[in-house]
Amino acid sequence: MGTARIEGNTLLLGEGVRIRFIRTLRLPESGTHALPPGLGEFPLRRVEDYPDTVPPEWLAKGGVMLPVYLREAMWLSFGGTREPAALQVGVGKVCAVSGKRWTGRLERKPQNYLVLPRQPWLDGINSGKGTVRQFVAVPLGLGATVEGQVTGEEVTGGVQLQAFPLGPEALAAWREEERLRNETVAAQNLYGGGGYGAAPAMPPAMPAPPGAAPMAMAAPAPGAAPARPAARSAPAMGLGVGGAMRQEVYQDDRKLSAWADRPAARVFVHLVTPPEWRRITGEDAPPSPVDRAAYTRAGLPWYDYYDETGTDLPAAGPLAGVKPVGDWIGDDHTPWTPPAPGQVLPLGNAPRPGKPVQDGDW
């Protein structure tokens, strides 16, 4: 199996899959909404760089960690992924696409993976036709996580990611198609500019919608932080769900046999409370995001993404009945301020290597 690496706050799986964890506004738990904005990246750190302060069980699992507040929402951006990949996303080892328990194998009935780069992002679990329910952080032990509601137990938490490349023959065929397409686009640009078949112009910030610049969080050199308390058990965090938004999870139009038999890389993502983040790393977590009412009143944009060539997967049965975190721990929201007409913007119609991240037993 290949390696996972961190470059800045970007997680690389194998040679081509790029994933960023984006902070965002939490949606109301009733109704269906536009895509919320990106409010900067979550900082990522390798677990193995903090052997004296992370819990021993985290060292056994390896992977990376990020700080997240109670009820904070996130989405996953896949911008920068160039070659096709099948990405499995687990929340407490429950597949966020199919709702089935994590197996680590690609399956089609139902499909248990995303197809990159066609899928530009994922904001939540595949819980309805043309919609997802937002990822929201909650502690284990309350029963509010997707893991707890689907399996009846909360023992894993975190996020699990595994990427499969195309097999050699399918990859060679795809690369040849891309070469011919690029030659055609170049010829059209040379003799009259972007006509039929030219690559569509996309907003520069499509993978991370504009509205806030990513937070610059430089990783400290291992051992550079001052002395800290010894390792101990940390509060375990997982993902529950919040409100619904309009987002499709695209169906794979390739044969399952087109994908490689073995994954390029996999990684366990630990979710850390801000107090534990400071204890473990010596860093302060980024401040909690601005509240959604203030954001909307300021006239800042929300988003709507549509790809007319893609086919949406049906809702995942086990995920359709997952209840939002407010049903478990109460609603703490101020009244919802909907975006004004014209505030929802349409999107699309479609360095040095980082240090490898240690994988472990999970």
Side-chain angles (χ1 to χ4, degrees), residues 337-350:
T337 303
Q343 203 171 349
V344 178
L345 304 182
L347 291 177
N349 182 30

Side-chain angles (χ1 to χ4, degrees), residues 36-212:
L39 298 178
E41 303 165 351
F42 286 92
L44 285 181
R45 302 291 180 264
R46 301 192 313 165
V47 167
E48 63 206 82
D49 287 338
Y50 303 92
D52 297 329
T53 50
V54 298
E57 60 268 26
W58 291 16
L59 288 174
K61 292 179 179 178
V64 300
M65 55 187 176
L66 61 84
V68 62
Y69 290 84
L70 173 67
R71 296 179 183 261
E72 186 172 5
M74 72 168 64
W75 51 275
L76 309 184
S77 169
F78 311 125
T81 300
R82 300 302 180 192
E83 295 191 338
L87 178 69
Q88 293 184 304
V89 180
V91 287
K93 296 184 77 170
V94 171
C95 177
V97 178
S98 70
K100 305 292 186 181
R101 287 180 182 260
W102 179 275
T103 65
R105 301 186 302 274
L106 297 183
E107 298 173 1
R108 286 289 280 272
K109 295 182 179 181
Q111 182 176 313
N112 67 349
Y113 57 93
L114 305 172
V115 181
L116 308 186
R118 157 157 277 176
Q119 191 81 37
W121 42 61
L122 183 69
D123 287 65
I125 63 170
N126 175 32
S127 60
K129 183 174 176 56
T131 65
V132 301
R133 293 200 74 109
Q134 189 174 40
F135 292 133
V136 175
V138 286
L140 271 60
L142 302 176
T145 61
V146 176
E147 176 186 4
Q149 295 187 57
V150 172
T151 71
E153 57 184 5
E154 293 181 317
V155 296
T156 304
V159 178
Q160 298 76 42
L161 301 166
Q162 182 166 260
F164 290 77
L166 285 174
E169 293 184 4
L171 181 58
W174 179 85
R175 286 175 173 170
E176 178 63 14
E177 291 172 0
E178 284 296 290
R179 185 187 67 80
L180 295 174
R181 186 184 68 82
N182 290 335
E183 287 181 354
T184 300
V185 170
Q188 289 170 339
N189 289 338
L190 181 63
Y191 297 105
Y196 176 78
M202 298 298 289
M206 187 197 80

